[in-house]
């Protein structure tokens, strides 16, 4: 089935149809030099299996990838004519984003890994495109249920297709500590031995984690590791009695309650622990951000919480990283300048969330918006969903995930105060890649469009987006990526 023009997700800033089409042949090559070469090699790997064509990469070819100045930050220009394809951007990450667009201009069959019979043509077009937000995130909770490296890499490929460029890994929680810390080996010996439901568990060694970070980098995805403190820490508390104020460890936890755990704020050992953790994590993190959680510390007295947060954030800053924390961190007025707040209340702010979020702006920081009622992909779709939760204002339909705007939630918060947005996939009820993909897709495509495409002048109308989701469905089918065939979309088959 030829690609329907104008079906790219996220919607490009501008796309003008040309005359005719570019026909891919056995002699079609990909030309690139310097930093463009890794993108050219990636594109070749993407196109060879389904076409069975060689796509030589080198200094000749009708598909040209160019790194040159003159494009908006993160943006690219893609020109397809009958004689060639030219993709140009200021840097490799933007070129990679343009390659995702080119990928979507090819027939859906291109997504298959077995050779397919299709018209390998690209309709002539001129696309000028650039992202609205720099931080286009997907969070994956590997603490409630552990996911192996192959699964994480697959999820990286899933999100990269939609120009998402940040993978926030929720590495620690009550049910599991998933990153080895050499100085504190019991965190994984004990803290990683189980997971929700009591079957399974696991953790990433430093080499495993480096492997994930490198793979993400090859897709121009930055990894943001989260060590959630002082709450959501039962796995650490179960691993080391000295982290508990009474010197006694709780049992490992395999349920899905929240808010019951807290590090011992008054003990100096707690800060030695946290500094050791951040020392090792910072060394493993080429990206600028480390996330320290801060959510639902419901058993931590307020004064203790404020003491801990300012000390923990300072420790992260002392290792040269910018702190990200859930919006509760905004209760502190002593955060390192520029700390980023991740808003997870609703599209109508609940309780003090707005005040907490604004506190980051007042301290020279910005926000990442992850409103739980529209961007939490672990919410049920509807009554038919067997997986997922419903606490965030009930089920979240595919239209719900599309019909919102991050700059229309908090007073005084517009694009200038927003670093970006994030789709969160919590895994209390999700244990396999099939579970993850069926909850993430297609709603993550909605969030990806809001993260990249220009803010619409009128509120988003799902009816305008649904046909493009239907077209994406054909691509997901060909790629073998699972998705929920939401009734609100006229899927093509
Ligand atoms: N809220 C908790 C998560 C997870 C989530 C499930 C945040 C910041 C509910 N905290 O979201 O740990 O339990 O939807």
């Amino acid at each position: 089935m030829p690609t329907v023009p104008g079906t790219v997700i996220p919607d490009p800033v501008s796309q003008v149809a040309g005359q005719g089409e570019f026909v891919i042949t056995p002699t079609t090559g990909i030309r690139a030099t310097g930093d463009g070469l890794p993108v050219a090699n990636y594109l070749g790997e993407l196109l060879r299996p389904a076409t069975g064509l060689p796509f030589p990469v080198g200094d000749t070819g009708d598909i040209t990838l160019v790194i040159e100045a003159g494009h908006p930050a993160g943006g690219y220009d893609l020109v397809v004519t009958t004689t060639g394809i030219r993709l140009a951007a200021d840097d490799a990450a933007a070129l990679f984003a343009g390659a995702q667009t080119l990928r979507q201009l090819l027939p859906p069959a291109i997504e298959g890994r077995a050779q397919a019979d299709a018209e390998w043509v690209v309709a002539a077009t001129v696309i000028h495109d650039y992202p609205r937000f720099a931080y286009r995130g997907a969070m994956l909770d590997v603490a409630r249920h552990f996911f192996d490296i192959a699964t994480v890499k697959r999820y990286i490929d899933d999100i990269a297709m939609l120009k998402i460029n940040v993978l926030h890994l929720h590495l620690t929680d009550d049910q599991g500590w998933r990153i080895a810390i050499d100085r504190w080996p019991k965190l994984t010996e004990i803290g990683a031995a189980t997971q929700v439901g009591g079957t399974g568990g696991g953790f990433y060694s430093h080499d495993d984690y480096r492997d994930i970070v490198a793979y993400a980098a090859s897709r121009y995805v930055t990894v943001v590791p989260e060590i959630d403190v002082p709450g959501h820490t039962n796995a650490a508390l179960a691993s080391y009695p000295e982290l508990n104020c009474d010197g006694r460890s709780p049992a490992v936890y395999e349920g899905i309650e929240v808010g019951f755990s807290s590090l011992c704020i008054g003990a100096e050992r707690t800060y030695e622990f946290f500094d050791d953790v951040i020392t090792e994590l910072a060394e493993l993190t080429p990206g600028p951000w480390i996330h320290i959680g801060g959510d639902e510390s419901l058993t931590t007295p307020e004064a203790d919480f404020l003491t801990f947060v300012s000390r923990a954030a300072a420790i992260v800053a002392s290792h040269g990283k910018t702190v990200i924390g859930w919006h509760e961190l905004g209760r502190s007025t002593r955060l390192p300048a520029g700390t980023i707040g991740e808003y997870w209340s609703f599209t109508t702010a609940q309780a003090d969330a707005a005040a907490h979020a604004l506190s980051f702006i007042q301290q020279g920081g910005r926000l990442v918006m992850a409103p739980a009622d529209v961007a939490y992909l672990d919410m049920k779709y509807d009554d038919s969903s067997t997986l997922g939760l419903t606490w965030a204002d009930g089920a979240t339909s595919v239209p719900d995930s599309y019909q919102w705007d991050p700059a229309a939630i908090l007073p005084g918060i517009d694009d200038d105060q927003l670093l970006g947005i994030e789709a969160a996939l919590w895994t209390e009820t999700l244990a396999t890649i099939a579970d993850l993909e069926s909850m993430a897709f297609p709603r993550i495509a909605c969030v990806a469009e809001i993260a990249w495409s220009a803010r619409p002048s009128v509120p988003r109308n799902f009816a305008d987006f649904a046909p493009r989701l239907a077209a994406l469905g054909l691509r997901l089918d060909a790629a073998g990526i699972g998705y929920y065939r939401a009734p609100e979309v006229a899927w093509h088959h």
Side-chain angles (χ1 to χ4, degrees), residues 103 108-114 154 158 161 433-438 441 472-483 493:
R103 172 182 183 177
I110 197 70
E111 295 298 337
R113 295 302 84 184
R154 177 168 165 147
D158 288 352
M161 174 178 56
I433 185 62
D435 293 348
L436 296 180
E437 290 182 345
S438 69
F441 288 86
L472 182 70
L474 285 173
R475 316 192 75 83
L476 299 176
D477 289 335
I481 295 172
Y483 62 99
H493 57 62

Side-chain angles (χ1 to χ4, degrees), residues 369-385:
M369 303 297 281
D373 57 332
V374 293
Y376 269 32
L377 307 179
D378 62 312
M379 291 302 115
K380 290 181 183 294
Y381 284 97
D382 50 39
D383 299 341
S384 77
S385 302

Side-chain angles (χ1 to χ4, degrees), residues 144 170 173 232 258 295-296 326 344 376 378-379 389 391 426 428:
R144 275 47 181 273
H170 184 76
D173 212 298
H232 285 271
V258 297
D295 60 313
E296 299 179 312
W326 300 108
W344 63 284
Y376 269 32
D378 62 312
M379 291 302 115
L389 305 172
W391 69 269
W426 298 99
E428 281 92 338

Side-chain angles (χ1 to χ4, degrees), residues 364-411:
R366 285 188 289 171
L367 297 176
V368 169
M369 303 297 281
D373 57 332
V374 293
Y376 269 32
L377 307 179
D378 62 312
M379 291 302 115
K380 290 181 183 294
Y381 284 97
D382 50 39
D383 299 341
S384 77
S385 302
T386 52
L387 301 170
L389 305 172
T390 56
W391 69 269
D393 198 25
T396 298
S397 69
V398 181
D400 289 342
S401 285
Y402 186 72
Q403 293 174 153
W404 63 282
D405 191 89
I409 292 175
L410 297 172

Side-chain angles (χ1 to χ4, degrees), residues 102-116:
L102 176 56
R103 172 182 183 177
Q104 288 192 34
L105 297 180
L106 281 156
I110 197 70
E111 295 298 337
R113 295 302 84 184
Q115 190 163 334

